[in-house]
């Protein structure tokens, strides 16, 4: 695991049914925009958000869901990277949302769960890909601690790529720093990779000033801030012939927010549990509504209707993104996963499959 520090304390880094016929990519970036409500990118200001608008050119939905029992940050992010619910017999079991204790004091997913919890980083790293986590909240140290040289599982596939499943773990102080680290890491790892990139700004604005959807609000400004970094990230991909057409981006949120106004604690309030899920397939393709595209294999529900994690068929949840990333990299599903464990989420219409990139 690489360890480095930039800009004093502002930025500290440690290295920490049938499967759908979808296109395969060399690189996948999974982006979580903390506290992003769909109406923040699908509302009257959407034309002013070129980064998000770009990512809407592909399969996407404005009606994905957080975990049914939990609409807070760290448990939902663990769900994203493990494709498991938070609770229940198949859940990863991490319910705390504070900075985790040190690994020796129980601060790993395995120690909390009582058995190893495999992540998308395990599958990718064991298959020889480079992996990175760039986050803007310190609590993501849980992932670094859970999958480092001491706590990671032995390699399960082919050549021994080691127990340290996350080649770079970085906590960045700002959205700009996070994107800078991400683009720099990309430049240094031109082969196959999986990058998890987290932007906290909308959540921070929401807690400080409310999930205020009025034009010009602090929350709207924070979404625009992230949009600028997405625009820059896309420009980096466009400018590099080695990356252009070879990078897929999966963007979702851990939760929405606004019930009550400055938080997102009520897991049965649709303002909190409905989140966007955008999948950009390496080029600006025709927008396709993801729930409609998967209506034969996922629940189609009104956005206001709450359903539990055990409801079958399952609605599309943010926990699917780990296995979506595996699909897009041509890798098997995450062992022990539940969400999209069959890798059957359809990203392109069956009729359009032939000749896809
Ligand atoms: Zn929050």
């Amino acid at each position: 695991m690489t360890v480095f520090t930039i800009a004093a304390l502002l930025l500290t880094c440690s290295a920490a049914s049938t499967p759908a016929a979808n296109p395969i990519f060399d690189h996948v970036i999974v982006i979580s925009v903390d506290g992003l409500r769909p109406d923040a990118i699908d509302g009257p200001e959407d034309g002013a958000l070129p980064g998000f608008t770009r990512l809407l050119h592909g399969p996407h939905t404005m009606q994905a869901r957080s975990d049914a029992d939990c609409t807070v940050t760290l448990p939902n992010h663990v769900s994203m990277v493990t494709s498991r619910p938070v609770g229940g017999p198949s859940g990863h079991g991490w319910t705390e949302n504070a900075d985790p204790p040190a690994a020796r004091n129980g601060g790993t997913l395995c120690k909390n769960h009582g058995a190893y919890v495999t992540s998308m980083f395990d599958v990718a790293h064991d298959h020889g890909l480079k992996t990175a986590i760039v986050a803007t909240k310190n609590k993501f140290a849980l992932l670094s601690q859970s999958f480092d040289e001491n706590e990671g599982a032995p390699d399960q596939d082919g050549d021994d790529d080691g127990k340290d499943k996350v080649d770079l773990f970085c906590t960045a102080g700002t959205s700009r720093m996070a994107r800078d680290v991400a683009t720099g890491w990309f430049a240094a790892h031109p082969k196959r990779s999986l990058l998890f990139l987290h932007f906290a700004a909308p959540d921070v604005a929401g807690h400080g000033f409310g999930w205020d959807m009025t034009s010009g609000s602090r929350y709207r400004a924070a979404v625009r801030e992230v949009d600028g970094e997405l625009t820059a990230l896309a420009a980096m991909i466009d400018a590099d012939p080695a990356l252009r057409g070879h990078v897929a981006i999966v963007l979702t949120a851990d939760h929405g927010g606004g019930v009550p106004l400055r938080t997102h604690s009520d897991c049965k309030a649709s303002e909190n549990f409905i989140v966007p899920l955008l999948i950009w397939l390496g080029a600006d393709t025709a927008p396709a509504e993801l729930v409609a595209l998967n209506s034969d294999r996922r629940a189609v529900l009104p956005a206001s209707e709450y359903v539990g994690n055990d409801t079958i068929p399952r609605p599309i949840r943010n926990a699917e993104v780990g296995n979506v990333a595996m699909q897009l990299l041509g890798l098997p599903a995450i062992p022990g996963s539940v969400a999209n464990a069959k890798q059957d989420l359809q990203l392109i219409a069956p009729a359009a499959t032939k000749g896809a990139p």
Side-chain angles (χ1 to χ4, degrees):
M1 195 174 283
T2 308
V3 180
F4 63 93
T5 302
I6 299 175
L9 296 177
L10 285 175
L11 180 65
T12 54
C13 300
S14 72
S17 11
T18 350
N22 293 318
I24 306 296
F25 293 86
D26 293 328
H27 307 272
V28 169
I29 306 174
V30 177
I31 300 175
S32 172
V33 183
D34 207 311
L36 180 66
R37 279 173 49 156
D39 48 349
I41 59 172
D42 197 26
E45 292 197 342
D46 61 350
L49 298 172
F52 285 105
T53 302
R54 183 110 192 253
L55 299 184
L56 288 168
H57 285 87
H60 66 269
T61 181
M62 297 301 179
Q63 293 192 22
R65 290 161 183 249
S66 304
D67 186 89
D69 299 326
C70 178
T71 46
V72 296
T73 295
L74 195 52
N76 269 278
H77 282 97
V78 175
S79 288
M80 290 181 207
V81 304
T82 62
S83 287
R84 292 184 182 214
V86 175
S90 56
H92 57 71
W94 191 272
T95 56
E96 295 297 320
N97 195 34
D99 290 355
R104 65 179 177 279
N105 295 325
T108 76
L109 293 174
C110 179
K111 287 174 177 165
N112 180 64
H113 185 62
Y116 193 72
V117 181
T118 310
S119 72
M120 65 181 188
F121 305 110
D122 291 72
V123 178
H125 200 268
D126 288 358
H127 283 80
L129 279 70
K130 292 294 183 184
T131 56
I133 299 172
V134 182
T136 49
K137 283 182 176 174
N138 292 332
K139 61 184 72 172
F140 283 79
L142 173 66
L143 301 181
S144 172
Q145 293 173 188
S146 295
F147 303 114
D148 68 7
E149 179 63 35
N150 296 320
E151 303 293 338
D155 191 303
Q156 304 293 314
D157 186 87
D159 295 341
D160 185 2
D161 297 294
K163 292 174 65 180
D164 183 354
K165 308 303 180 188
V166 183
D167 293 307
L168 170 71
F169 175 77
C170 173
T171 304
T174 66
S175 302
R176 174 65 184 273
M177 286 179 176
R179 194 261 301 165
D180 274 347
V181 172
T183 51
W185 185 80
F186 248 114
H189 297 93
K191 293 190 175 172
R192 305 198 74 211
S193 70
L194 171 64
L195 166 66
F196 184 68
L197 179 56
H198 165 259
F199 293 110
D203 185 68
V204 172
H207 285 294
F209 306 96
W211 267 258
D212 179 354
M213 303 306 294
T214 56
S215 182
S217 72
R218 296 287 285 264
Y219 178 75
R220 290 280 197 179
V223 173
R224 279 199 302 280
E225 173 187 314
V226 174
D227 186 80
E229 304 311 331
L230 298 178
T231 303
L233 188 63
M236 181 270 294
I237 295 168
D238 288 342
D240 188 341
L243 295 178
R244 195 167 56 237
H246 299 279
V247 183
I249 297 176
V250 181
L251 183 147
T252 190
D254 48 352
H255 52 73
V259 181
L261 181 63
R262 293 192 183 191
T263 189
H264 44 79
S265 51
D266 182 352
C267 69
K268 295 191 176 178
S270 61
E271 292 89 342
N272 297 342
F273 71 66
I274 292 291
V275 293
L277 175 53
L278 282 46
I279 302 168
W280 186 74
L281 299 173
D284 296 345
T285 58
E289 212 293 318
L290 200 56
V291 173
L293 204 53
N294 289 277
S295 59
D296 62 342
R297 55 197 71 194
R298 299 291 189 275
V300 181
L301 300 165
S304 58
E305 185 177 339
Y306 171 87
V307 293
N309 282 330
D310 294 334
T311 303
I312 300 292
R314 296 186 173 93
I316 295 174
R317 295 194 187 274
N318 54 9
E320 297 211 23
V321 301
N323 275 331
V324 170
M326 299 300 96
Q327 280 180 282
L328 292 168
L329 290 165
L331 298 176
I334 302 164
S337 62
V338 174
N340 195 25
K342 294 179 182 172
Q343 297 190 307
D344 64 346
L345 190 73
Q346 258 179 183
L347 307 183
I348 51 178
T353 301
K354 197 177 173 188

mmCIF file of all heavy atoms in Angstrom, residues 34 73 137 203 207 211 255 264, ligand 1:
data_model
loop_
_atom_site.group_PDB
_atom_site.id
_atom_site.type_symbol
_atom_site.label_atom_id
_atom_site.label_comp_id
_atom_site.label_asym_id
_atom_site.label_seq_id
_atom_site.Cartn_x
_atom_site.Cartn_y
_atom_site.Cartn_z
ATOM 1 N N ASP A 34 -21.807 11.999 -2.106
ATOM 2 C CA ASP A 34 -22.446 11.854 -0.791
ATOM 3 C C ASP A 34 -23.646 12.799 -0.667
ATOM 4 O O ASP A 34 -23.531 14.005 -0.847
ATOM 5 C CB ASP A 34 -21.391 12.205 0.270
ATOM 6 C CG ASP A 34 -21.620 11.531 1.590
ATOM 7 O OD1 ASP A 34 -22.764 11.589 2.087
ATOM 8 O OD2 ASP A 34 -20.657 10.978 2.148
ATOM 9 N N THR A 73 -24.061 7.240 5.763
ATOM 10 C CA THR A 73 -22.931 7.177 4.832
ATOM 11 C C THR A 73 -22.131 5.872 4.846
ATOM 12 O O THR A 73 -22.067 5.163 3.837
ATOM 13 C CB THR A 73 -21.982 8.364 5.105
ATOM 14 O OG1 THR A 73 -22.688 9.564 4.793
ATOM 15 C CG2 THR A 73 -20.732 8.292 4.254
ATOM 16 N N LYS A 137 -13.878 11.778 3.237
ATOM 17 C CA LYS A 137 -14.228 11.676 4.660
ATOM 18 C C LYS A 137 -13.283 10.659 5.291
ATOM 19 O O LYS A 137 -13.013 9.602 4.694
ATOM 20 C CB LYS A 137 -15.676 11.203 4.848
ATOM 21 C CG LYS A 137 -16.736 12.274 4.616
ATOM 22 C CD LYS A 137 -18.142 11.735 4.881
ATOM 23 C CE LYS A 137 -19.190 12.844 4.754
ATOM 24 N NZ LYS A 137 -20.579 12.308 4.867
ATOM 25 N N ASP A 203 -23.222 16.541 0.853
ATOM 26 C CA ASP A 203 -23.641 16.111 2.194
ATOM 27 C C ASP A 203 -23.240 17.151 3.235
ATOM 28 O O ASP A 203 -24.020 17.472 4.138
ATOM 29 C CB ASP A 203 -23.004 14.758 2.524
ATOM 30 C CG ASP A 203 -23.490 14.196 3.847
ATOM 31 O OD1 ASP A 203 -24.677 13.827 3.923
ATOM 32 O OD2 ASP A 203 -22.700 14.145 4.797
ATOM 33 N N HIS A 207 -25.936 19.146 5.563
ATOM 34 C CA HIS A 207 -25.961 19.176 7.031
ATOM 35 C C HIS A 207 -25.820 20.604 7.559
ATOM 36 O O HIS A 207 -26.405 20.954 8.581
ATOM 37 C CB HIS A 207 -24.844 18.300 7.592
ATOM 38 C CG HIS A 207 -25.123 16.838 7.489
ATOM 39 N ND1 HIS A 207 -26.135 16.233 8.189
ATOM 40 C CD2 HIS A 207 -24.542 15.862 6.742
ATOM 41 C CE1 HIS A 207 -26.157 14.935 7.896
ATOM 42 N NE2 HIS A 207 -25.207 14.687 7.012
ATOM 43 N N TRP A 211 -30.908 20.426 2.880
ATOM 44 C CA TRP A 211 -31.003 19.933 1.501
ATOM 45 C C TRP A 211 -31.961 20.865 0.758
ATOM 46 O O TRP A 211 -33.101 20.525 0.455
ATOM 47 C CB TRP A 211 -31.472 18.480 1.481
ATOM 48 C CG TRP A 211 -30.341 17.497 1.463
ATOM 49 C CD1 TRP A 211 -29.880 16.805 0.382
ATOM 50 C CD2 TRP A 211 -29.506 17.088 2.553
ATOM 51 N NE1 TRP A 211 -28.812 16.009 0.735
ATOM 52 C CE2 TRP A 211 -28.556 16.163 2.065
ATOM 53 C CE3 TRP A 211 -29.436 17.435 3.908
ATOM 54 C CZ2 TRP A 211 -27.593 15.565 2.866
ATOM 55 C CZ3 TRP A 211 -28.462 16.833 4.703
ATOM 56 C CH2 TRP A 211 -27.572 15.925 4.183
ATOM 57 N N HIS A 255 -27.038 8.176 -0.087
ATOM 58 C CA HIS A 255 -28.378 8.548 0.365
ATOM 59 C C HIS A 255 -28.691 9.910 -0.216
ATOM 60 O O HIS A 255 -27.789 10.601 -0.713
ATOM 61 C CB HIS A 255 -28.437 8.600 1.899
ATOM 62 C CG HIS A 255 -27.350 9.443 2.507
ATOM 63 N ND1 HIS A 255 -27.355 10.814 2.452
ATOM 64 C CD2 HIS A 255 -26.192 9.098 3.131
ATOM 65 C CE1 HIS A 255 -26.271 11.283 3.030
ATOM 66 N NE2 HIS A 255 -25.527 10.257 3.438
ATOM 67 N N HIS A 264 -30.560 13.090 7.095
ATOM 68 C CA HIS A 264 -31.096 12.057 6.200
ATOM 69 C C HIS A 264 -31.290 10.778 6.987
ATOM 70 O O HIS A 264 -31.054 9.687 6.482
ATOM 71 C CB HIS A 264 -30.131 11.841 5.021
ATOM 72 C CG HIS A 264 -28.695 11.784 5.436
ATOM 73 N ND1 HIS A 264 -28.130 10.661 5.991
ATOM 74 C CD2 HIS A 264 -27.724 12.721 5.412
ATOM 75 C CE1 HIS A 264 -26.856 10.908 6.288
ATOM 76 N NE2 HIS A 264 -26.589 12.165 5.946
HETATM 77 ZN ZN1 LIG B 1 -24.688 12.976 5.933
#
